[in-house]
Amino acid sequence: MVKRFRFGRPIETEAVVNEAGILGGRVGASVQDIPGFLKVTAGTGMEEGSTVIYEMGERDAIYGLGENVRGINKRGWLYESNCTDDCIHTESKHSLYAAHNFFLVDGRERFAIFVDAPQKIVFDMGFQERSRLAVKIAPGGFVLYILEGDDLRGIVREFRRMIGKSYLAPKWAFGYGQSRWGYQNEEDIREVVRQHRENGVPLDSVYLDIDYMEQYKDFTVDGERFPEFPAFVKEMRQQGIHLVPIIDAGVKIEEGYPVYEEGLENGYFCKKADGTEFVGGVWPGRVHFPDVLNEKARRWFGLKYQVLLEQGIDGFWNDMNEPALFYAEEYLKEAFGKLADYQKQELNIHSFFAMKEMLLGVSNRPEDYQTFYHDYQGEKICHDQVHNLYGYGMTRAAGEAFDELKPEQRILLFSRASYVGMHRYGGVWMGDNCSWWSHLLMNLQMLPGLNMCGFLYTGADLGGFGEDATEDLLLRWLGLGIFTPLMRNHSAMGTRMQEFYRFGHVDDFRNIIGLRYVFLPYLYSEFMKAAMRDDMMFLPLAFVYPEDEMAAGVEDQLMVGESMMIAPVYRQNARGRYVYLPEEMKLYRMRSGEDWDEEMLPAGHHYVPAELNEVLVFVRPDHVVVLSSGGGCVEKVDTSRLDLLHFVKTEAVYEWYEDDGYQKKVNLEAGITRIVVKSDKSVRAEGARKIECRLV
Ligand code: GLC
């Protein structure tokens, strides 16, 4: 059951698109209908914030909040919804790049809350007081949804039904991608592809970071470094490679640059209170921000992607769209003035640190986000009131344009910043993580929360973005990454190079990355089913084994789709790990699609060895996992013959979904083949495809 309560004059975010079944209608239910276990104090004026309070039972767990720091169970910390460009994702932080205001409480009561409001929200999950959950919403209106139900997964499905179907990525985007901030030109990219092809390591995409552009100007390609861009895109396609360029939020201020000039002429950029364009600083230097919350400006910006589509590009990543502000020009001037004052003084301990703080605080200043405005739904709205919608707006711009320009074809699209609702237009990557072991685990822990909010196409920078990766870290991270829909190795300029060929053990990389292509039929099928059925692909164990108290505490294993569980190794020098099995499972210790050991394990705790070249997969009783024999790229994966990992006691029925991977229109049922395996080892496949299945 879902109830909607409306407080003040909320800003319409279009996060919720299916109203059916929501009690309270457009205006909202009356406050008396708020369940007794919640206390809501709603601020009346613009200055007063609102609070939702829940007293937690000692064992209540909290799941959700999408992309954020810390564990799967969010209890015990203070989180914020405040999209921020902050690349140091330590556990001391409160927010990352996204605002995903949905969480579930599982304990004395079982319910979920979605706060639909784009302004800043603080989620005190037992931080101030261990047993008190308090959601504090900054002044401005908001819509509160309360979802109740018996089972966690069912509540999530209900929420997903409300917010609309998830974005579908093209199938090629399930292949392995190599990226690096710093690939300079065609030759650098050819070298990446050559290394993969010559070493027999699969690859489907190479990402173009900001260096492909001419002076970091969106929708341009540097003519010197990429002299024949369309021909180069074609050359890559012939080798099975898709090039995926980055698009940044800021538009360079430069006379003669058409995007700048058109935007200015039409008033499509964000403006200050005095009506002049706001000036920020990002990669290109001085920029304006397109007002992607304004329908006309959004359409205009979205259609700009056409110039790259026309050159053969079929995938994009949207970046810096919190939006990141290296500086706001006005404040920078002020800061220079202050600096000049400091220069005149003899600095003491106080003034020195004040100066240092001022310098360090030049970027992403909350005060600067209060100095520009959007023309949103016919009203002038200050950016800080809608801050969390900017990445959503930018990605929606592209997504809507793709629907117009490429109505049939799926285009790859993912973003750094996001809000619930953006999941209909694109996926997200988890931003600028570091080559730290702790981040491997954190990336795993984010997956279920992201799935709850509809972000199914997601993954992290494998190997870590900042800092130096080591070979073992990359291998272990790939061991998780082979299961995430977005599987991309990406790193920052200035860090150690981390393409597989920078390290010694080519065979290990070939085998582990190869496993992705072996699991592809299963992963793609589970992704598509989750998308079409409003379900999750990555689930905490507690969602599948709600009666098992031990399962509720597991923070480093996940269920992946219907049939299996994963347990990546995330500690350096570990040659295995402890695993908890809520039920008897069959362990496959996989080294490649042809080489593995298998073992039956009873329910309980186990120490399972896993060398650097091994990946652990656990198959549930009466389930199968469909595998291919691999391939050098997604197109080459043959799904007419499937191998089945299996653990069948009586009967397993697997619904295997498959399609051509490019069509936007999907008929799930028509694409399903039912694979039935009986305990006598007989296999039957009926439905969409004629396939050969083999138990392995
Ligand atoms: C941002 C992105 C990162 C990219 C860099 C340069 O930090 O998050 O992925 O490499 O900008 O464009």
Side-chain angles (χ1 to χ4, degrees):
M1 187 180 46
V2 189
K3 285 188 199 152
R4 165 166 45 201
F5 303 89
R6 195 171 278 264
F7 298 93
R9 253 190 82 219
I11 287 168
E12 177 56 70
T13 65
E14 293 177 63
V16 173
V17 287
N18 293 325
E19 313 277 334
I22 299 176
L23 303 177
R26 282 238 136 250
V27 261
S30 81
V31 181
Q32 289 94 294
D33 294 332
I34 292 181
F37 53 83
L38 290 177
K39 206 166 96 204
V40 181
T41 51
T44 43
M46 278 307 278
E47 0 20 79
E48 255 176 287
S50 307
T51 317
V52 180
I53 290 176
Y54 171 68
E55 296 299 334
M56 294 184 277
E58 191 59 30
R59 291 174 167 214
D60 285 16
I62 305 171
Y63 301 104
L65 295 186
E67 179 185 281
N68 216 317
V69 294
R70 299 213 172 199
I72 295 176
N73 183 348
K74 288 279 176 270
R75 186 167 179 162
W77 187 239
L78 190 115
Y79 301 89
E80 285 177 2
S81 273
N82 181 30
C83 300
T84 315
D85 170 29
D86 176 350
C87 59
I88 308 297
H89 308 172
T90 51
E91 65 179 277
S92 57
K93 296 296 163 71
H94 304 286
S95 64
L96 297 175
Y97 309 88
H100 299 152
N101 309 335
F102 174 82
F103 63 89
L104 283 153
V105 175
D106 181 28
R108 276 209 302 238
E109 313 289 338
R110 209 165 254 173
F111 67 97
I113 279 185
F114 173 50
V115 185
D116 191 10
Q119 64 270 34
K120 183 167 160 179
I121 302 178
V122 175
F123 299 89
D124 177 340
M125 303 305 205
F127 172 77
Q128 285 294 350
E129 284 177 53
R130 196 172 82 182
S131 61
R132 172 164 294 188
L133 187 164
V135 182
K136 295 174 194 157
I137 304 138
F142 66 102
V143 188
L144 175 70
Y145 293 87
I146 302 171
L147 298 89
E148 290 176 86
D150 298 329
D151 107 273
L152 297 169
R153 197 166 173 180
I155 297 177
V156 169
R157 276 198 213 105
E158 183 62 21
F159 176 58
R160 294 274 302 284
R161 195 191 51 74
M162 287 161 51
I163 60 174
K165 289 276 172 280
S166 293
Y167 159 79
L168 299 178
K171 197 173 182 191
W172 64 261
F174 289 76
Y176 180 53
Q178 180 60 55
S179 185
R180 166 92 178 168
W181 170 17
Y183 294 152
Q184 290 297 327
N185 49 35
E186 292 182 351
E187 267 324 299
D188 284 356
I189 289 161
R190 283 195 187 101
E191 172 64 7
V192 171
V193 177
R194 194 182 63 77
Q195 288 280 4
H196 283 78
R197 294 289 180 248
E198 283 183 11
N199 286 293
V201 175
L203 187 70
D204 271 271
S205 52
V206 180
Y207 286 74
L208 302 178
D209 206 321
I210 46 175
D211 311 283
Y212 81 90
M213 297 185 231
E214 185 194 311
Q215 290 173 47
Y216 311 123
K217 285 185 286 191
D218 279 340
F219 314 114
T220 67
V221 176
D222 188 290
E224 256 170 51
R225 284 176 286 133
F226 296 87
E228 303 282 346
F229 193 62
F232 182 59
V233 176
K234 204 158 163 202
E235 172 192 325
M236 288 294 115
R237 284 296 302 113
Q238 278 158 359
Q239 297 191 43
I241 300 296
H242 297 255
L243 295 177
V244 186
I246 196 169
I247 303 290
D248 281 342
V251 169
K252 184 173 170 63
I253 299 175
E254 185 186 276
E255 263 176 55
Y257 167 40
V259 185
Y260 162 71
E261 293 198 334
E262 279 171 37
L264 197 65
E265 228 172 82
N266 293 294
Y268 287 157
F269 295 124
C270 293
K271 299 195 181 65
K272 294 187 290 192
D274 66 6
T276 61
E277 276 72 19
F278 172 80
V279 181
V282 213
W283 304 120
R286 298 170 69 245
V287 301
H288 290 324
F289 290 107
D291 186 358
V292 286
L293 301 190
N294 169 296
E295 224 172 294
K296 279 197 188 142
R298 183 164 68 231
R299 179 158 186 275
W300 163 75
F301 191 75
L303 291 175
K304 292 282 158 235
Y305 287 73
Q306 185 170 16
V307 71
L308 289 159
L309 291 173
E310 277 169 354
Q311 298 180 70
I313 293 298
D314 51 5
F316 299 88
W317 45 313
N318 280 350
D319 191 25
M320 305 295 276
N321 50 7
E322 295 68 35
L325 261 184
F326 292 169
Y327 60 84
E329 187 169 67
E330 224 155 85
Y331 180 68
L332 196 65
K333 279 188 198 145
E334 209 180 302
F336 281 141
K338 284 189 195 163
L339 201 61
D341 290 341
Y342 281 121
Q343 211 180 2
K344 288 180 209 140
Q345 299 171 30
E346 192 174 320
L347 294 180
N348 62 27
I349 185 92
H350 303 293
S351 49
F352 170 75
F353 281 106
M355 177 194 74
K356 190 171 161 190
E357 203 170 300
M358 180 200 73
L359 289 176
L360 290 175
V362 171
S363 300
N364 307 316
R365 277 176 81 239
E367 295 84 348
D368 291 332
Y369 289 119
Q370 291 164 3
T371 63
F372 61 96
Y373 293 81
H374 296 269
D375 175 1
Y376 189 46
Q377 297 170 345
E379 267 186 76
K380 184 169 157 185
I381 294 191
C382 183
H383 177 80
D384 74 334
Q385 284 292 302
V386 286
H387 174 71
N388 290 333
L389 297 182
Y390 195 86
Y392 173 13
M394 180 183 175
T395 302
R396 183 173 174 181
E400 286 174 341
F402 299 159
D403 282 342
E404 202 175 321
L405 300 167
K406 299 271 180 193
E408 309 267 302
Q409 188 192 343
R410 291 185 221 160
I411 302 290
L412 171 63
L413 179 62
F414 58 91
S415 168
R416 195 170 71 176
S418 60
Y419 184 86
V420 173
M422 201 204 85
H423 69 286
R424 300 189 298 267
Y425 302 98
V428 290
W429 95 98
M430 297 168 183
D432 298 346
N433 58 7
C434 284
S435 299
W436 297 339
W437 291 87
S438 59
H439 277 185
L440 198 178
L441 175 61
M442 192 175 73
N443 292 159
L444 172 145
Q445 290 168 328
M446 278 189 218
L447 286 163
L450 281 164
N451 276 197
M452 288 176 209
C453 291
F455 293 98
L456 297 177
Y457 190 80
T458 186
D461 288 348
L462 303 175
F465 174 77
E467 312 291 349
D468 291 336
T470 54
E471 179 169 13
D472 55 348
L473 178 68
L474 179 59
L475 278 166
R476 291 302 196 192
W477 219 320
L478 287 166
L480 166 64
I482 57 173
F483 299 109
T484 58
L486 167 64
M487 182 194 178
R488 179 178 79 145
N489 175 340
H490 178 53
S491 57
M493 188 146 73
T495 61
R496 181 180 184 182
M497 304 291 272
Q498 64 187 47
E499 298 85 359
F500 81 86
Y501 49 87
R502 311 286 176 184
F503 304 107
H505 299 82
V506 174
D507 291 349
D508 291 348
F509 285 103
R510 183 186 309 116
N511 289 337
I512 295 217
I513 296 170
L515 274 176
R516 161 57 155 232
Y517 293 74
V518 169
F519 277 95
L520 188 73
Y522 178 75
L523 295 171
Y524 183 69
S525 165
E526 290 303 311
F527 173 89
M528 293 298 286
K529 286 191 291 183
M532 300 310 289
R533 293 175 176 166
D534 299 330
D535 211 339
M536 297 164 70
M537 178 173 171
F538 293 94
L539 296 114
L541 271 54
F543 280 50
V544 180
Y545 306 97
E547 307 305 330
D548 185 331
E549 278 197 27
M550 200 60 86
V554 175
E555 286 276 349
D556 57 359
Q557 302 167 205
L558 289 176
M559 308 306 294
V560 182
E562 279 310 310
S563 306
M564 64 189 232
M565 183 180 82
I566 56 167
V569 175
Y570 55 89
R571 294 221 160 94
Q572 189 157 33
N573 302 319
R575 299 186 57 193
R577 54 161 290 170
Y578 286 94
V579 174
Y580 176 68
L581 268 53
E583 59 182 334
E584 185 187 8
M585 290 190 190
K586 189 164 173 186
L587 161 68
Y588 289 87
R589 192 181 299 111
M590 306 203 60
R591 288 172 288 275
S592 76
E594 278 117 44
D595 179 19
W596 66 75
D597 304 325
E598 45 184 87
E599 189 182 343
M600 296 298 305
L601 292 177
H605 288 97
H606 301 273
Y607 180 81
V608 181
E611 296 294 339
L612 276 176
N613 62 344
E614 293 179 322
V615 173
L616 306 175
V617 169
F618 301 83
V619 177
R620 300 177 63 194
D622 282 333
H623 282 83
V624 297
V625 175
V626 291
L627 304 183
S628 80
S629 53
C633 60
V634 168
E635 266 172 26
K636 298 260 166 73
V637 173
D638 173 12
T639 54
S640 66
R641 235 186 263 162
L642 298 179
D643 287 343
L644 307 181
L645 298 184
H646 56 98
F647 175 13
V648 181
K649 290 177 129 180
T650 50
E651 183 186 78
V653 182
Y654 182 67
E655 291 186 319
W656 176 58
Y657 175 81
E658 173 72 326
D659 63 16
D660 67 5
Y662 301 94
Q663 292 283 327
K664 269 189 183 157
K665 267 218 185 77
V666 168
N667 180 342
L668 188 76
E669 293 311 318
I672 284 181
T673 307
R674 268 182 193 75
I675 300 171
V676 182
V677 182
K678 297 232 158 107
S679 53
D680 64 4
K681 304 225 153 91
S682 64
V683 185
R684 215 173 63 232
E686 306 165 339
R689 298 196 173 225
K690 275 219 155 5
I691 48 167
E692 241 176 77
C693 291
R694 194 172 60 118
L695 294 178
V696 290

